[in-house]
Amino acid sequence: MPELVYRDIKASGARLRVMEAGEGPPVVLLHSLLFQRETWAGVFDDLAQHFRVIAPDLPGFGESEKPNPARFAYSFSAFSHALADLYAGLRLGPSHLIGHGLGGAIAITLAARHPELVSRLVVVDPLCYRPPPDPLRRLALLPVIGGFGLKQLWGRGAFRSYFHQRIFSEHHAVPEERIDRYYDAFNPPAARACVLATLRATADTRPIIADTARVSAPSLVIWGRADKLYPCSFGQRLAREMRNTGLELMASGHAPHEEQPKAFVEVVSRFCRAERAGR
């Protein structure tokens, strides 16, 4: 198996923890809100057989530094700037970029504003159009009481229920232990404050909609047919509105790479290898 390497890289003034393995064309993996780099555990080793795979914890998440919102904006632009700095810190050239949920929105932003850094783009159920009403976002956007509720009252049971009812499909096989590790990373007060700041700073998705028209890299949209957070129709719309973009629907909820890791690796590898074949 490819050897795992862990690094700490400074980006936008924050220390980011990065997991890396493999050799070949670089592939950068971006996790979503409430997740961390571990979300790619089921696909990481298989991708690393053919690619140099890099999975950071975004600022404010996982084992990365959690800067105060007064120092880091937690907006699409702020995350994109941090990612560009991470590229520089790792001395990455053009790379395949894969982003899930919030990470998909960040990937779109980077591909639109720094096309020289993205050779191929894969977005997995990305935050792009205004999502339907969701208990977590509704709570976060309430003045005063919303911040208190998210920081003080959202316990392990509510966190587990959210993943089972909103993130994963009905018959998923994602281990409960992984959800608990996501909760343990979310639970410290500084981490909760970062989640709240991110939810509020990314409530307006119009910048992402504008950036989709500027993406020039060959792109692939992957969407879970049973996604309860962002409906499958969003994926079909996104694939129509982005240039040079394909669409792959998978039998999963909001996180196809967690529920269908083998199928996900096959789809992504085929798409990224097409560059070498000149397609």
Side-chain angles (χ1 to χ4, degrees):
M1 300 299 295
E3 180 183 1
L4 280 175
V5 177
Y6 295 90
R7 309 178 191 275
D8 285 331
I9 304 292
K10 204 79 167 179
S12 290
R15 177 194 54 79
L16 303 189
R17 176 56 58 91
V18 179
M19 179 171 67
E20 179 179 341
E23 298 179 353
V27 173
V28 179
L29 306 173
L30 303 180
H31 65 79
S32 188
L33 187 81
L34 301 181
F35 292 80
Q36 53 186 314
R37 67 177 190 270
E38 187 182 351
T39 189
W40 305 107
V43 304
F44 195 89
D45 288 344
D46 286 342
L47 287 174
Q49 299 292 332
H50 306 285
F51 303 97
R52 177 189 175 191
V53 186
I54 299 151
D57 283 328
L58 293 169
F61 296 86
E63 294 183 322
S64 287
E65 186 179 351
K66 297 164 181 62
N68 187 288
R71 184 161 66 89
F72 185 84
Y74 293 97
S75 63
F76 300 121
S77 291
F79 282 119
S80 175
H81 287 315
L83 185 56
D85 280 356
L86 179 66
Y87 268 68
L90 292 171
R91 298 183 179 179
L92 287 176
S95 305
H96 303 313
L97 183 58
I98 303 174
H100 168 232
L102 170 67
I106 298 166
I108 289 171
T109 304
L110 188 78
R113 302 181 186 184
H114 296 278
E116 73 282 1
L117 297 180
V118 181
S119 52
R120 291 203 162 215
L121 174 68
V122 180
V123 289
V124 186
D125 298 66
L127 173 62
C128 51
Y129 309 112
R130 185 174 181 178
D134 171 73
L136 178 61
R137 288 188 175 274
R138 278 197 301 236
L139 175 65
L141 296 178
L142 289 173
V144 183
I145 192 173
F148 175 79
L150 186 64
K151 291 181 179 180
Q152 303 292 333
L153 303 180
W154 218 48
R156 188 179 298 272
F159 190 93
R160 284 176 175 173
S161 295
Y162 185 81
F163 268 75
H164 288 302
Q165 296 173 13
R166 306 290 296 181
I167 302 292
F168 298 131
S169 62
E170 184 178 358
H171 301 294
H172 75 86
V174 179
E176 193 82 0
E177 294 78 11
R178 185 177 297 170
I179 300 174
D180 281 341
R181 287 195 292 274
Y182 292 154
Y183 177 78
D184 291 339
F186 157 81
N187 192 37
R192 289 179 180 245
C194 295
V195 169
L196 178 62
T198 302
L199 283 165
R200 289 178 170 174
T202 60
D204 184 357
T205 61
R206 286 177 295 180
I208 302 303
I209 297 172
D211 278 341
T212 58
R214 300 168 58 191
V215 174
S216 58
S219 302
L220 177 66
V221 174
I222 299 178
W223 217 281
R225 292 181 184 273
D227 190 338
K228 298 173 186 175
L229 279 183
Y230 313 146
C232 189
S233 59
F234 281 11
Q236 295 164 332
R237 176 182 169 186
L238 184 61
R240 287 194 306 267
E241 294 183 352
M242 287 179 65
R243 292 176 290 168
N244 197 17
T245 298
L247 173 65
E248 188 80 28
L249 302 179
M250 300 187 69
S252 74
H254 180 63
H257 59 289
E258 294 221 29
E259 293 191 47
Q260 300 287 344
K262 296 297 183 184
F264 182 88
V265 168
E266 181 180 345
V267 168
V268 167
S269 297
R270 184 171 63 243
F271 176 70
C272 291
R273 286 176 178 174
E275 181 183 54
R276 296 185 228 176
R279 296 193 297 270

